Amino acid sequence: MKCFFILFCRMTQWERLQQLDTVYSQRAFDLYNRDEFPMEVRHYLAHWIEGQDWERASRDSSRAAFLFQVLLENLDNQFSRFAQEKDSFLLQRNFRRYKQNFQKYQEEPYTLATIINWFLVKEREILNDAELAQQVQALQVQPAAMELESQRQVEKSLKDLKTKVEVMEHSIRCLEEQQDEFDFKYQTHLMDSCTEEEKKMQVEGLQKMLNALDKCRRNFLSDISAMLDAADVLRSALIDEELVDWKWRQQKSCIGAPDDTSLEHLEKWFTQIIECMFQLQKFLQKLDELVGKMTYDNDPILVRKPPLKSRVDTLLTHLIKSSFVVETQPSMPQGRGPLVLRTNVQFSVKVRLLYKVSELNHVMKVTVSVNNAASQLKGFRKFNVLGTLSKALNMAESMNGGMVADFRHLTLKDQKVGGGGKGINDLSLSVTEELHRITFQTQFDYQGLSVPLETSSLPVVVVSNSSQQQSAWASVLWFNMLCSDSKNVKFFETSPAATWPQFGEMLSWQFLSCGKRGLDNDQLETLAIKLFGKQQSYDSCKISWTKFSKENLPDTNFTLWVWLDGILTLVKLYLSDLWSDGSIMGFVSKGKERLLLKKKQNGTFLLRFSESIKDGGITFSWVQYANDGTPSVQTVKPFTSTDLKQIALPDILCDFWIMVAENIPVNPLCYLYPNTPKDQAFGKYYSEKTGEENPYLKYLKTKLVFVSKKNGSSGVREGPESDLSTQDRDPPSFSDAGDDDFLLQMVEKSPMLSSSTTDDDMRNSILDSDSECTVPDAFSPTAPHTSPSCLQHNFSESPLDIFADAHSPDIDVNVTLHEFINSPNILNGINLRMLPKSDDFPFDSGLIQDLGYPNIPLTP
C-alpha cells in the first residue's frame, strides 16, 4: 500500500486524475468539455504543461510570450509524430486546428497562460476533493446504515424482478408450445374419421388439454400482475425515495455539502427496471399473438390483458418521465457558485436520461428555455436564452456512456418589455430574490411508447452586474438550505426562518468549500453566542432571512452575511492552507481568547477573525508575562486582503518583531496555541527564497521585518470579560486606546508599505537616487519586560556598503533599486547606523529595522 502511494505521488497530475473514481473522473471530463483548452492537448503535452509556472506567466508578459512559442512548437512536434503513426489522421487534423485556435492569443499570450493556470487549479481542486473523500471514507468505520440498507433493498428487489422476468420468459415459451400442441391435436381430431367412441375419447382429451391451457394462461396473467405489484413498489422506492434523496443531496452540494451526487446507481436501477417493464410489454404482445391463433369462451387473456397493459404503460411512463434529470445545475465558469447567473455571460448546464439505451443515442433532441411560470408574476424580469438551444442526448458526452446533453454556451439576455426596467413587483422582492428556472424538453419514442419529457433546473438567481453576486449567493444558500420544492419561485415572499442546526451546518459547508475544513463545535458555539446570546441549547433558536442578509449587525454598517462572506473570501484567497490544517482558531470571543492564552506559556499566540471589518480581517494575539509573573494579552490590528495580497500571513508571523529594552528587536510569537512551536506550525509556508530564486537577492541579502518599539511595558486593560462576541468587539485604533492599552498599529492599506513616516534624510541615506523608498506606518510603542530565549534574535553580518555589489555598468541602478524597494524582500541587511541621529526621526513609533551587524544595539 505504501509503495502504491509513493508511485501515485510520482505520477503527473494528469495521470492521477485518470486514476480517480468515476465521480471525480467525471468532474475532470466535464471540466474539459469547455473549448478554451482541449483535453487532447492536455493529455499529450501533460509533462511539459505541468513543468511550467503558468501562474507567473499570467502576470509576466515576457514569460507568457516565451511559453506561448514553446507551446506552438510542441504542438508542431506532436503533429509530426501523428503524421508518422497509422490511424492518427483525426488527431493530426485536430492538432492543426488547435494550433490555429491558439494563434488568437498571439498578441495577449498571458491570457492563454491565465486559462491554462485556471484549468490546472481546477484539476488540483478535484484531486484534493478526491483525497479528502478517501480520508473521510477511511475514517468511517461504516457508512450510513440506513442508506446502505435502502440500497441493498433496491438491489435485491431488482434482482428478484429480473429473475421473475427470466422465469416468465420460459413460461411464455411453454405456453406457446402447449397451445401449438392443442391446436395440432384439435385439427387432427377434425380431420380424423373414427368411431363415435374414439371421437368421444379425443374430445375428452382435448378438453383436458384446453383446461390445462386455460389454467396456464390464467397463471401467466397472475404472474404478470404480481410482477407489476412488485415493480410498483420498486418504482416508489426509486422515484419517491432514492431519486428524491439524490435531488436533495444535489441541492445541498450546490451550497457546499460534501454529498455524493453521482448518478451511477440510479442510472443502473432505472435502466434495469425499465428494461423489465419493456419485457413485460413484450409478453403482453405475445399473448395477443396467441389469442390471434386460438381463443375460446371465457378466454382470460381477452378480459385481463387490457388492464395489465394499461398498468405497464403507466409504470413505464412514470419511470421514463422521472428518469429525465438535470445532472449539473446551471453555473458560470468563474462565477460565485452554481445557480448564480449573470446576463450576457455564458453558463453551462447538463441533463441526463437515466434510461441508458444505445438505440436512442443521438436520436432524442433536447431543447432549452427559461421557464415561463416565474415570468408571469408581475414585476419579475423576463429573459431570452441565447446559444445552442437544441442538443441530442449523446453517449459520448459522459465517461460512462450515459445519455447526456451538455449545454455549454448558453446566455441569458434581458427581455425588454414596455418601458423597460424591472417594474413594480407584486411580491416586493429584490432582484436577487427573484427565482427563475431553466427548462428542458424532449420526446421519448421507443418500442411503441411515446412520452413527452420535461425537467427543470433548481431556481437560479439572475444578476446584471458582479456587485450583485454576493447578495445572489445569499439567496441561493437560503433557498437550498430550507426548500426542497424546486418549483417554489415565490419562496422569498414568505421565506421561513432557519433553525440554528440548519444554519450552522450551512455555514460549515461554506468553510469546507473555501478552505477544505468545516467549522468545529467551538467555532459554531461562538457564532451561536454572537447571534442568540448564551443559551443552554441552540437547537430551537432560529434566524430569519432578514437578520441574515438585510439587517446590520449591532454597532456596524454591514449585515451578518456580508461579514461572513468577507471572511470566506479571505480564507479562499489567502488562508486556505492555514485554515485546512487547523492553524486558525477563527471564531473565538476576546474574553475567551484571554482566558485561553493566560493559561499558556510566554509567547503563545492564536489567530482569529476580526468582528469589525466588513470585507474580512484576521488578527493574532499573544500572551507575555511581566517580571512579577502577571500575564497580559497583546493584539495587533487585523490584516485585510489588501495586506495579505502583499505579504502572506506565515511570513508576517515569521518576521514580526517588537523593540524591547535597549532597542533589541525580538519576535514575541513562539507557540501556536496550545503549544506548537511557531516554525513547526508555519515553517512549510514561509516564502523566503534563495538568491537563485529571487533576482534581487543576488545583490543584497535582505529580509522584511515588522518592528515596534516601546519604553516600559504594559498589557491590555483588564475590564469586564464577557464571552458574548457582540460585546467583545475588536479593539479601537491606538488613538482611542487608553495609556495601558497595547495595540500594534498597521497601515490602513498595507501592513508595511507607507511613505508617510519617512523623512528626506532617511530616504536619501538609503537611496542616492530619485527612486522612492517606502517604510511602514508607525506601530504603537510596546516592549515586554521579559525576553525569553525563544524571542532572542541571532544577528548575522551584512556588508556596510549595501550597494557595492549591486552596481554594474550593465544595470540601470535607478530602475533596479526601484524594483528592489518595491519587492517583498527588502531592508534586511541595511545598517541603520549610517542614518542621521535626530530627535525628530520616527523611531519612537516604529519602523522596519535593519538586522545587519552582530551584537550592535539598534539605536536611532
Side-chain angles (χ1 to χ4, degrees):
M1 187 65 147
K2 183 176 181 181
C3 294
F4 173 76
F5 178 75
I6 294 173
L7 179 64
F8 187 77
C9 290
R10 289 178 179 174
M11 292 181 181
T12 64
Q13 183 170 299
W14 183 247
E15 290 170 335
R16 291 168 61 194
L17 279 174
Q18 297 174 66
Q19 299 291 328
L20 297 179
D21 293 338
T22 304
V23 177
Y24 298 99
S25 58
Q26 180 67 43
R27 282 179 56 186
F29 186 86
D30 293 342
L31 176 66
Y32 281 94
N33 270 341
R34 309 172 191 277
D35 296 333
E36 297 91 338
F37 191 43
M39 180 183 284
E40 289 173 338
V41 174
R42 177 68 180 93
H43 177 76
Y44 285 100
L45 302 184
H47 287 275
W48 178 79
I49 288 172
E50 293 178 29
Q52 314 309 315
D53 189 348
W54 296 102
E55 196 277 332
R56 175 188 167 192
S58 66
R59 297 179 283 104
D60 186 338
S61 297
S62 60
R63 181 66 180 171
F66 170 75
L67 291 181
F68 178 74
Q69 294 302 324
V70 176
L71 174 62
L72 296 184
E73 292 176 9
N74 284 330
L75 291 175
D76 287 335
N77 294 337
Q78 193 62 48
F79 176 85
S80 300
R81 293 189 192 99
F82 291 143
Q84 299 172 8
E85 298 174 359
K86 296 181 180 180
D87 304 324
S88 296
F89 174 74
L90 290 178
L91 286 171
Q92 189 178 357
R93 176 182 175 276
N94 288 345
F95 267 69
R96 181 189 293 113
R97 178 165 52 86
Y98 298 151
K99 181 179 178 182
Q100 292 172 350
N101 291 342
F102 284 145
Q103 294 290 349
K104 64 184 178 182
Y105 299 108
Q106 184 77 43
E107 299 300 323
E108 296 181 346
Y110 54 85
T111 302
L112 179 60
T114 301
I115 292 172
I116 295 176
N117 183 62
W118 183 84
F119 274 88
L120 293 176
V121 169
K122 290 298 179 184
E123 287 180 9
R124 287 192 288 272
E125 289 179 1
I126 295 172
L127 287 170
N128 290 336
D129 290 347
E131 182 181 353
L132 180 62
Q134 288 178 348
Q135 292 172 354
V136 170
Q137 187 175 7
L139 291 174
Q140 288 179 332
V141 178
Q142 181 180 355
M146 291 184 61
E147 182 178 342
L148 282 181
E149 180 59 31
S150 67
Q151 292 181 3
R152 280 195 293 265
Q153 189 60 43
V154 169
E155 294 279 2
K156 182 179 181 301
S157 298
L158 275 169
K159 185 178 179 180
D160 292 343
L161 193 65
K162 290 167 65 178
T163 301
K164 289 178 181 178
V165 167
E166 293 172 0
V167 171
M168 292 189 69
E169 194 168 5
H170 175 73
S171 299
I172 194 74
R173 284 198 301 267
C174 293
L175 185 61
E176 185 177 18
E177 292 172 359
Q178 190 175 0
Q179 178 172 312
D180 289 343
E181 183 182 1
F182 172 82
D183 184 59
F184 175 76
K185 291 188 175 183
Y186 179 72
Q187 296 299 331
T188 303
H189 165 72
L190 293 178
M191 294 183 293
D192 274 354
S193 55
C194 54
T195 64
E196 289 295 327
E197 187 65 27
E198 289 175 336
K199 283 189 176 183
K200 183 179 178 181
M201 291 178 62
Q202 287 179 356
V203 169
E204 289 177 356
L206 289 172
Q207 186 62 51
K208 288 180 180 179
M209 291 182 66
L210 182 60
N211 291 342
L213 179 63
D214 181 71
K215 183 179 179 181
C216 287
R217 283 189 173 187
R218 292 180 186 277
N219 289 341
F220 189 80
L221 290 167
S222 297
D223 289 343
I224 290 181
S225 180
M227 277 192 64
L228 288 174
D229 291 339
D232 195 43
V233 173
L234 186 55
R235 174 207 59 79
S236 178
L238 284 180
I239 296 176
D240 301 333
E241 296 176 19
E242 296 295 337
L243 186 60
V244 168
D245 287 346
W246 176 83
K247 288 182 177 181
W248 181 236
R249 290 199 305 272
Q250 187 191 47
Q251 264 194 269
K252 293 188 295 179
S253 73
C254 285
I255 57 174
D259 287 347
D260 180 14
T261 59
S262 168
L263 284 168
E264 185 177 356
H265 289 299
L266 281 172
E267 185 178 62
K268 181 179 72 172
W269 296 337
F270 269 90
T271 299
Q272 288 179 355
I273 189 175
I274 290 174
E275 286 291 350
C276 287
M277 291 302 98
F278 275 123
Q279 197 64 37
L280 286 184
Q281 190 182 65
K282 289 180 181 178
F283 294 158
L284 293 175
Q285 291 170 355
K286 189 65 177 179
L287 290 179
D288 280 338
E289 292 179 17
L290 295 179
V291 169
K293 293 178 180 179
M294 191 200 83
T295 187
Y296 49 88
D297 292 341
N298 299 321
D299 188 344
I301 295 178
L302 297 176
V303 178
R304 296 174 59 182
K305 179 192 148 298
L308 291 176
K309 185 179 186 308
S310 177
R311 287 183 65 188
V312 171
D313 290 345
T314 300
L315 266 172
L316 272 172
T317 300
H318 199 179
L319 286 165
I320 291 169
K321 281 189 173 184
S322 300
S323 70
F324 191 41
V325 298
V326 178
E327 178 179 7
T328 305
Q329 294 295 329
S331 65
M332 298 185 294
Q334 299 183 19
R336 178 57 194 270
L339 306 175
V340 175
L341 305 181
R342 183 176 172 184
T343 54
N344 304 315
V345 175
Q346 286 187 349
F347 67 92
S348 61
V349 59
K350 183 190 295 185
V351 295
R352 180 184 289 257
L353 183 69
L354 296 177
Y355 176 42
K356 187 163 68 172
V357 52
S358 57
E359 290 86 345
L360 295 178
N361 190 29
H362 289 290
V363 174
M364 297 175 62
K365 300 289 184 182
V366 181
T367 59
V368 59
S369 61
V370 66
N371 71 299
N372 298 320
S375 60
Q376 299 304 314
L377 298 172
K378 184 178 178 181
F380 268 46
R381 294 163 298 162
K382 297 182 180 180
F383 301 97
N384 293 322
V385 184
L386 307 180
T388 305
L389 304 183
S390 177
K391 293 197 72 175
L393 289 173
N394 180 6
M395 287 184 167
E397 298 217 334
S398 69
M399 296 192 71
N400 66 345
M403 301 285 288
V404 167
D406 191 1
F407 294 87
R408 289 179 282 166
H409 305 291
L410 299 178
T411 306
L412 292 180
K413 187 174 180 63
D414 275 307
Q415 188 181 113
K416 300 300 182 183
V417 181
K422 176 174 170 55
I424 300 175
N425 194 315
D426 277 351
L427 307 177
S428 300
L429 301 179
S430 66
V431 167
T432 55
E433 291 174 323
E434 280 186 22
L435 300 178
H436 301 265
R437 299 166 71 215
I438 311 298
T439 301
F440 305 89
Q441 295 174 318
T442 188
Q443 183 70 29
F444 180 90
D445 290 301
Y446 184 60
Q447 294 194 10
L449 185 68
S450 182
V451 183
L453 305 183
E454 179 176 306
T455 189
S456 294
S457 70
L458 290 169
V460 299
V461 179
V462 185
V463 299
S464 56
N465 60 71
S466 57
S467 64
Q468 297 171 319
Q469 288 203 46
Q470 185 181 62
S471 179
W473 184 240
S475 297
V476 169
L477 292 176
W478 203 258
F479 178 90
N480 291 287
M481 173 177 58
L482 298 176
C483 183
S484 59
D485 180 8
S486 62
K487 297 179 181 179
N488 186 8
V489 295
K490 297 165 64 175
F491 172 78
F492 285 102
E493 180 183 13
T494 55
S495 174
T499 64
W500 170 247
Q502 291 174 317
F503 186 76
E505 185 179 42
M506 180 272 288
L507 286 185
S508 186
W509 292 339
Q510 304 315 296
F511 281 90
L512 181 64
S513 298
C514 292
K516 306 182 189 71
R517 181 171 68 91
L519 299 174
D520 59 31
N521 290 334
D522 290 336
Q523 293 162 338
L524 287 170
E525 184 180 17
T526 299
L527 288 170
I529 292 173
K530 181 181 181 68
L531 294 174
F532 311 113
K534 191 70 174 177
Q535 306 281 340
Q536 283 190 343
S537 172
Y538 300 95
D539 291 349
S540 60
C541 295
K542 293 186 177 182
I543 179 171
S544 66
W545 166 242
T546 300
K547 187 173 182 179
F548 173 62
S549 69
K550 296 184 178 182
E551 293 179 354
N552 289 341
L553 290 169
D555 304 322
T556 70
N557 61 348
F558 48 83
T559 65
L560 173 63
W561 167 240
V562 168
W563 174 63
L564 290 169
D565 190 51
I567 292 173
L568 287 166
T569 302
L570 199 70
V571 169
K572 183 175 182 179
L573 295 179
Y574 305 106
L575 305 172
S576 178
D577 289 336
L578 299 184
W579 177 258
S580 65
D581 68 14
S583 298
I584 299 174
M585 187 172 290
F587 297 103
V588 56
S589 68
K590 284 191 285 295
K592 185 175 181 180
E593 174 189 64
R594 290 194 289 271
L595 291 174
L596 293 176
L597 289 176
K598 287 182 179 181
K599 297 176 182 178
K600 294 298 176 180
Q601 59 187 316
N602 194 70
T604 301
F605 67 99
L606 58 79
L607 304 171
R608 66 173 175 84
F609 298 124
S610 167
E611 296 179 33
S612 59
I613 295 182
K614 174 181 178 181
D615 297 322
I618 188 168
T619 184
F620 53 84
S621 303
W622 70 93
V623 63
Q624 64 183 37
Y625 291 85
N627 290 335
D628 61 0
T630 303
S632 61
V633 175
Q634 321 291 359
T635 302
V636 297
K637 185 176 179 181
F639 296 88
T640 65
S641 59
T642 304
D643 306 322
L644 300 180
K645 189 182 300 183
Q646 300 177 62
I647 304 182
L649 185 60
D651 292 333
I652 293 175
L653 298 172
C654 175
D655 298 329
F656 183 84
W657 304 88
I658 61 174
M659 300 294 291
V660 296
E662 299 181 358
N663 289 336
I664 298 176
V666 296
N667 189 321
L669 310 178
C670 301
Y671 305 99
L672 177 65
Y673 184 90
N675 55 9
T676 305
K678 179 184 66 176
D679 290 342
Q680 179 180 327
F682 301 103
K684 57 183 173 291
Y685 303 123
Y686 296 159
S687 63
E688 183 175 347
K689 297 180 179 180
T690 65
E692 294 179 356
E693 296 169 326
N694 192 318
Y696 301 115
L697 298 187
K698 291 187 293 185
Y699 305 112
L700 290 173
K701 293 203 176 290
T702 64
K703 180 184 286 186
L704 184 61
V705 299
F706 294 95
V707 179
S708 181
K709 176 183 175 184
K710 182 183 177 188
N711 298 321
S713 73
S714 62
V716 182
R717 174 179 296 157
E718 298 295 336
E721 294 186 0
S722 170
D723 283 335
L724 296 183
S725 296
T726 53
Q727 300 174 16
D728 282 313
R729 307 221 63 82
D730 283 318
S733 63
F734 179 70
S735 59
D736 298 330
D739 294 337
D740 294 332
D741 289 339
F742 170 81
L743 296 173
L744 294 182
Q745 296 297 308
M746 312 304 291
V747 199
E748 181 177 356
K749 293 185 178 179
S750 166
M752 57 182 174
L753 301 178
S754 170
S755 58
S756 61
T757 61
T758 310
D759 62 12
D760 294 336
D761 290 337
M762 177 181 177
R763 184 181 296 110
N764 292 334
S765 67
I766 297 175
L767 286 180
D768 188 14
S769 70
D770 295 332
S771 300
E772 181 182 352
C773 173
T774 56
V775 296
D777 196 6
F779 291 165
S780 61
T782 183
H785 277 283
T786 59
S787 180
S789 59
C790 72
L791 303 181
Q792 299 306 311
H793 178 70
N794 183 19
F795 297 99
S796 59
E797 291 191 55
S798 62
L800 177 62
D801 186 355
I802 64 172
F803 300 115
D805 294 333
H807 186 63
S808 168
D810 298 325
I811 297 176
D812 185 332
V813 177
N814 286 346
V815 173
T816 301
L817 291 180
H818 182 71
E819 294 174 348
F820 161 73
I821 208 69
N822 285 285
S823 78
N825 299 285
I826 182 175
L827 300 180
N828 184 46
I830 301 175
N831 178 16
L832 294 182
R833 291 189 305 156
M834 63 184 177
L835 301 179
K837 202 168 187 179
S838 169
D839 293 337
D840 298 329
F841 196 72
F843 272 82
D844 287 340
S845 296
L847 78 155
I848 298 176
Q849 283 279 13
D850 163 58
L851 303 178
Y853 285 88
N855 304 322
I856 299 178
L858 298 178
T859 55

